[in-house]
Amino acid sequence: MMILVTGSSKCGKSRFAESLFDAVSVPKYYLATMQPYGEEAHSAIEQHRKMRADKGFLTAEQYTDIDRAEIPAGSAVLLECMGNLLANEMFRGGQMNDCTDKIVFDILRMSQRMNLLVIVTNQVGSDGLDYDAGTAAYIAALGIINQKIAENADKVIECVYGIPVTVKR
């Protein structure tokens, strides 16, 4: 089963996504995609580890090539988060890469091997502001990825002010 959890920043989507694993009996993996650049990133990673400490998750870090994460087939995986994964792939090697199809392919391949795959993503670009070319391309790519994952997901849930709203069953 593949579930896409979306919402704006600080809306409770990560907390909700973690709750989907409360009754899971197979090994649970937190697949972290945030590359630790700078003290702020290290602090955020440490905070997330503390929040998950008693929830039974094993942590796997995979910043790019998500399908290569060393997670046994049949496991339950919480991928946190699509926005970081896209940034890592898109700006890999110091240049802008077209990676939307690759990311979707990797996610779909991973979902076939896992008992449960929950993907946390972000809603960006709805603010109506003009951005530089790189940011605009990132927003467009995340929108395309979210659409394609949503099409293939068994469920899509949007968190609004901490309240999960089922968009697709």
Side-chain angles (χ1 to χ4, degrees):
M1 172 174 278
M2 183 168 59
I3 301 172
L4 181 66
V5 178
T6 188
S8 61
S9 65
K10 305 297 180 194
C11 69
K13 60 188 176 287
S14 294
R15 184 177 60 243
F16 172 74
E18 288 176 3
S19 76
L20 297 173
F21 291 79
D22 289 346
V24 169
S25 59
V26 298
K28 301 187 292 188
Y29 284 83
Y30 181 96
L31 184 51
T33 62
M34 184 172 154
Q35 287 187 346
Y37 292 120
E39 188 57 38
E40 186 177 327
H42 285 285
S43 295
I45 289 169
E46 188 57 34
Q47 179 185 5
H48 286 158
R49 285 185 178 147
K50 286 178 183 176
M51 289 172 25
R52 293 189 313 270
D54 297 325
K55 297 180 181 178
F57 283 95
L58 301 166
T59 299
E61 296 180 10
Q62 188 75 30
Y63 310 127
T64 59
D65 302 315
I66 205 74
D67 64 324
R68 294 185 182 167
E70 294 185 18
I71 299 174
S75 298
V77 176
L78 172 55
L79 190 156
E80 176 82 44
C81 81
M82 183 58 67
N84 287 329
L85 176 62
L86 171 60
N88 298 340
E89 292 278 9
M90 188 171 187
F91 300 107
R92 183 185 222 174
Q95 60 187 20
M96 196 174 333
N97 304 295
D98 180 7
C99 56
T100 54
D101 289 340
K102 176 196 182 307
I103 290 173
V104 171
F105 179 80
D106 289 352
I107 292 292
L108 295 178
R109 189 162 50 185
M110 176 179 271
S111 73
Q112 293 171 353
R113 294 187 349 255
M114 300 303 157
N115 182 285
L116 172 64
L117 175 59
V118 177
I119 302 160
V120 176
T121 192
N122 296 297
Q123 292 177 356
V124 295
S126 61
D127 55 14
L129 299 177
D130 288 326
Y131 291 98
D132 64 73
T135 302
Y138 171 86
I139 290 169
L142 187 58
I144 291 167
I145 291 168
N146 287 343
Q147 287 177 40
K148 290 181 178 182
I149 297 297
E151 286 174 13
N152 288 280
D154 298 293
K155 290 184 182 180
V156 178
I157 300 163
E158 179 182 6
C159 287
V160 181
Y161 306 118
I163 301 167
V165 178
T166 301
V167 178
K168 177 182 176 183
R169 293 192 187 273

